[in-house]
Amino acid sequence: MYKKKNGFNLAALGLAGSGLLMVMFGYVNAQGEAPEVIETDSHRFTRMAEGVYQVTGTGTVYLMSNALMIVGDEDVLLVDSHVTPNAANALLRSVAEVTDKPVRYLVNTHYHFDHAHGNQVFPDQVEIIGHSFTRTKLNGEMGNVLTEATHLSFTEGVPALVESLKAQVAAATDPAERAKLQADLEVQEAHMISLREIVPTPPNITLEDKMTLYQTLSDGDREIQLLHLGRAHTAGDVMVYLPQERLIFTGDAMLPSLSYMGDSFPQDWVQTLEELKKLEFDIMLPGHGAPVQGKEKIGHFQAYIGDLWQKTSAMKAQGLTAEQVAEQIDMTNHAPNYGQIRGPGADVRAIRRIYALLDE
Ligand SMILES: [Zn+2]
């Protein structure tokens, strides 16, 4: 069951059973306002505009990425499918709890495992839309994504994490701590098992630069723009732009934190973010983390990318290895914008990527 979190209790108002459902499906509460947050066992739906929800996890299922739900009068569009079939099944169960409308479209912001490896559980009638590059990656034309460095580097450690949690549960003496560790263990075990079930499943509808969907709403259709603004985090990033609502779901092309750069095109990325700045919106919904107000953080990330490229190029020219650069590079001038920067160093996967591009 779902519960609401914005301070009023529908049951206490005497709205139970189908009355409650009708209220929820209509996206209004007893005061005539849409609820701010709807929670299921596994998911939290935070209302950003009428029928538009940022979808995050409660922690009971390992999702690894945010999703977006856009509900129209007749159907639902989802953006991104999480990291495993297990996570995507939980998403579909949760969506069915908060709306009676069928899911018609799933959009993949990019091919990365944590956004697209839930694709396989979507029913046949759901159209999966993504960039043509995303299709090429997920259908295996460019090799098996399951054996790529990106997927392996984020998933190889899961069995060891499970073993470590088992040992911590066994060693825990405090009952509350033990219960917390046991819950973490169960989440990671389910994640580990579902990782083995993955069958990469590509979009069956592709776009190159832009596609616009018009979702039926009684008071005028909702314009949903799917935009590829250029290469960035991958070669096929798609952002989901709602011009009337002044919202944009940016996937991993723009995060509140430093985005993974192991498959990126850093120089294009800076320009792509320049294109993003030209769009009119108030809030960015990222593939990971909390919503971002305004455009200031775009400049911060452009500056980081440009600086990382420059410094890495210079250090490569001096003969350092990528691993040495990853240890020694000083990006602390960006620490005021990124709490994760606490000293010299950068993600070695980003540096290796820049080396590979410089060698091309
Ligand atoms: Zn990604």
Side-chain angles (χ1 to χ4, degrees), residues 272-291:
T272 298
L273 291 174
E274 204 57 37
E275 295 300 313
L276 172 61
K277 281 180 179 170
K278 293 178 186 168
L279 300 174
E280 290 193 16
F281 56 83
D282 301 315
I283 296 177
M284 293 183 283
L285 299 170
H288 306 273

Side-chain angles (χ1 to χ4, degrees), residues 47-73:
R47 181 185 181 276
M48 306 307 302
E50 186 172 350
V52 181
Y53 289 82
Q54 189 204 27
V55 185
T56 55
T58 60
T60 61
V61 176
Y62 193 65
L63 310 177
M64 219 178 149
S65 61
N66 298 340
L68 180 72
M69 177 174 80
I70 307 175
V71 184
D73 286 356

Side-chain angles (χ1 to χ4, degrees), residues 109-115 150 233-234 237 251-252 259-260 288:
T109 58
H110 60 297
Y111 80 90
H112 276 160
F113 68 106
D114 50 332
H115 302 260
T150 291
H233 174 71
T234 69
D237 300 275
D252 289 359
S259 183
Y260 172 73
H288 306 273

